[in-house]
């Protein structure tokens, strides 16, 4: 990542990015992001939260690990707890400015769908 940027940046957004990455590689991604941020730079984060409607719909045999599943198309998805994001960012040089669940309803009147969605939203400040 560093070799593609001429200068460090003040902010990075991770919007539905980390959930598609294997949990054992997430720390490396956050370290790479830290490597391109200026000290005091921020990460704005939003991703799927634990107990989201989509998570609760997974059938038998789709669970890979805690909060980690594979979909019917074989793509993988991770559903974050607040502790997951707190540990991931704090262990990699970030201060937690905000780390919360955001609850939304998805409504499709035509299809008769009314489901609760859960997302994790955070703001993290690079300390070094």
């Amino acid at each position: 990542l560093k070799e593609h940027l001429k200068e460090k940046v003040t902010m990075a957004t991770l919007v539905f990015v980390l959930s598609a990455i294997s949990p054992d590689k997430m720390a490396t991604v956050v370290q790479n992001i830290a490597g391109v941020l200026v000290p005091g730079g921020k990460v704005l984060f939003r991703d799927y939260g634990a107990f989201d409607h989509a998570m609760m719909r997974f059938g038998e045999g789709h669970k890979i690990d805690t909060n980690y599943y594979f979909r019917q198309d074989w793509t993988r998805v991770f559903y974050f707890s607040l502790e997951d994001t707190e540990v991931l960012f704090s262990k990699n040089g970030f201060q937690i400015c905000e780390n919360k669940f955001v609850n939304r309803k998805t409504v499709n009147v035509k299809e008769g769908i009314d489901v609760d969605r859960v997302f994790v939203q955070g703001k993290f400040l690079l300390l070094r």
Side-chain angles (χ1 to χ4, degrees):
L1 192 57
K2 286 184 210 177
E3 53 273 0
H4 297 291
L5 294 172
K6 292 180 182 174
E7 297 178 13
K8 292 196 173 209
V9 297
T10 58
M11 187 176 298
T13 57
L14 293 175
V15 180
F16 301 104
V17 173
L18 288 180
S19 60
I21 295 171
S22 179
D24 63 332
K25 298 201 180 350
M26 288 180 190
T28 301
V29 172
V30 173
Q31 290 163 10
N32 287 339
I33 296 294
V36 299
L37 284 174
V38 297
K42 290 183 181 176
V43 171
L44 303 179
F45 173 86
R46 186 156 188 173
D47 224 316
Y48 299 109
F51 305 106
D52 179 57
H53 174 75
M55 177 183 171
M56 305 312 289
R57 288 182 49 223
F58 282 108
E60 195 72 26
H62 283 263
K63 187 172 186 175
I64 299 168
D65 204 348
T66 304
N67 295 349
Y68 191 40
Y69 297 83
F70 67 89
R71 298 177 175 123
Q72 288 180 332
D73 65 0
W74 293 94
T75 58
R76 298 174 184 187
V77 62
F78 187 84
Y79 295 88
F80 289 90
S81 70
L82 296 180
E83 182 182 359
D84 292 328
T85 52
E86 183 176 333
V87 168
L88 179 62
F89 283 92
S90 64
K91 282 191 171 183
N92 288 289
F94 288 87
Q95 175 186 329
I96 312 305
C97 299
E98 179 181 287
N99 189 32
K100 64 181 182 179
F101 285 118
V102 175
N103 297 290
R104 295 282 185 256
K105 277 205 172 289
T106 297
V107 178
N108 182 327
V109 176
K110 183 177 178 183
E111 299 291 328
I113 297 170
D114 182 356
V115 297
D116 295 316
R117 301 303 310 263
V118 180
F119 306 103
V120 173
Q121 183 169 295
K123 294 178 188 172
F124 308 100
L125 179 74
L126 183 63
L127 295 174
R128 41 190 157 105

